[in-house]
């Protein structure tokens, strides 16, 4: 298919969501937040009383997920769940259901359906390694666990929540370990991905780095054709 994809993968709170969304806006491309699909699946399971380790049950929900993304809001059937899917418990649940092979398989076609002209920026953990292996540009965005915990801490405080920095660092490390160690689609850079460490980089510099990388990859792929 001749629709360009930019795959942006990396650990949680690395800033990849914000970077991916801004890159998509600059290029006028579609945007896929694949983590939201895992979060929606976990939320749907919780609402329907399906256990998060019931692989067949959760996969069935994932395959028929009544999810829509409209004007920055996320809907599950008739309910606006934009804030609900960001809750810590739902993130935990998402990490659990994401480790189930049948759930990942059930979400594959849905993710690939976002590939539409003029192009797609896809953000997740396995965009470059599994879902869009032929992406024209792949980026693996990281930052140290401490830097990511600090960003999450600031977000929580800004929203008026309480937060504990050492606990956030520990959470970040535990989630990384789970996402990296799982048997299916573990979190790892694609062999052909650009590694972008944003520990000492602001969002706008990261956006520019991705745009430059994409321009370079596009030029290279034109030469190859
Ligand atoms: O990016 P996020 O925090 O919204 O992702 C939520 C969970 O979903 C996280 O534990 C990793 C998982 N995930 C995944 O396994 N594969 C993806 N492509 C995206 C997210």
């Amino acid at each position: 298919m001749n629709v360009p994809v930019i795959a942006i993968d990396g650990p949680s709170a690395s800033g990849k969501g914000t970077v991916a969304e801004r890159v998509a806006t600059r290029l006028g491309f579609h945007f896929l937040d694949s983590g939201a699909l895992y979060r929606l699946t976990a939320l749907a399971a919780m609402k329907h009383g399906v256990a998060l380790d019931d692989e067949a049950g959760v996969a069935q929900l994932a395959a028929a997920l009544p999810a829509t993304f409209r004007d920055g809001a996320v809907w599950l059937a008739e309910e606006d769940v934009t804030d609900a899917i960001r809750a810590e418990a739902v993130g935990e649940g998402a990490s659990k259901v994401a480790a189930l092979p049948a759930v990942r398989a059930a979400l594959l076609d849905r993710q690939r359906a976002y590939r539409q002209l003029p192009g797609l920026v896809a953000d997740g953990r396995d965009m470059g390694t599994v879902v869009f292996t032929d992406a024209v540009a792949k980026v693996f965005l990281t930052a140290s666990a401490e830097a990511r915990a600090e960003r999450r801490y600031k977000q929580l405080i800004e929203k008026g929540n309480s937060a504990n920095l050492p606990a956030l660092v520990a959470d970040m490390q535990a989630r990384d370990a789970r996402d990296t160690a799982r048997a299916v689609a573990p979190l790892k850079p694609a062999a052909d991905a650009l590694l972008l460490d944003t520990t000492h980089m602001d969002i706008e510099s990261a956006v520019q780095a991705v745009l430059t990388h994409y321009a370079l990859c596009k030029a290279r792929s034109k030469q190859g054709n």
Side-chain angles (χ1 to χ4, degrees):
M1 217 197 316
N2 223 357
V3 179
V5 176
I6 302 177
I8 304 186
D9 291 305
S12 57
S14 58
K16 70 190 155 53
T18 314
V19 171
E21 214 169 349
R22 285 200 198 174
V23 169
T25 305
R26 296 289 160 86
L27 296 170
F29 280 14
H30 300 278
F31 170 59
L32 166 64
D33 170 6
S34 63
L37 293 175
Y38 289 94
R39 288 172 181 271
L40 282 162
T41 302
L43 184 66
M46 290 159 155
K47 282 185 184 294
H48 287 85
V50 174
L52 295 177
D53 59 356
D54 171 359
E55 186 164 359
V58 179
Q60 210 173 1
L61 281 176
L65 208 58
T68 34
F69 296 85
R70 278 199 302 267
D71 309 323
V74 186
W75 292 74
L76 189 60
E78 301 307 311
E79 193 184 348
D80 181 345
V81 293
T82 315
D83 292 332
I85 60 163
R86 298 291 151 202
E88 224 22 64
V90 177
E92 278 291 309
S95 175
K96 286 187 186 141
V97 301
L100 307 173
V103 172
R104 304 200 71 88
L107 290 175
L108 256 188
D109 286 348
R110 182 185 285 261
Q111 294 175 83
R112 289 181 177 149
Y114 282 88
R115 185 176 199 164
Q116 284 174 20
L117 285 169
L120 174 70
V121 181
D123 147 24
R125 304 292 192 286
D126 62 343
M127 299 297 98
T129 49
V130 177
V131 183
F132 302 108
T133 50
D134 63 340
V136 61
K138 300 180 185 179
V139 178
F140 194 83
L141 221 117
T142 53
S144 67
E146 290 74 15
R148 289 184 285 126
E150 218 160 283
R151 289 174 194 169
R152 180 65 47 90
Y153 179 83
K154 280 189 192 147
Q155 279 173 355
L156 288 167
I157 297 294
E158 269 165 24
K159 284 187 188 162
N161 298 305
S162 62
N164 172 320
L165 191 56
L168 283 171
V169 175
D171 268 10
M172 216 53 88
Q173 287 166 337
R175 195 170 297 186
D176 286 356
R178 193 159 56 214
D179 288 345
T180 311
R182 71 176 176 224
V184 272
L187 173 66
K188 64 161 198 243
D192 49 351
L194 168 78
L195 295 184
L196 199 61
D197 186 334
T198 67
T199 306
H200 304 292
M201 205 185 255
D202 63 17
I203 295 278
E204 198 41 45
S205 316
V207 170
Q208 284 309 326
V210 175
L211 287 170
T212 304
H213 181 59
Y214 171 59
L216 204 81
C217 292
K218 200 166 69 167
R220 257 194 228 133
S221 82
K222 273 202 185 122
Q223 271 173 5
N225 285 339

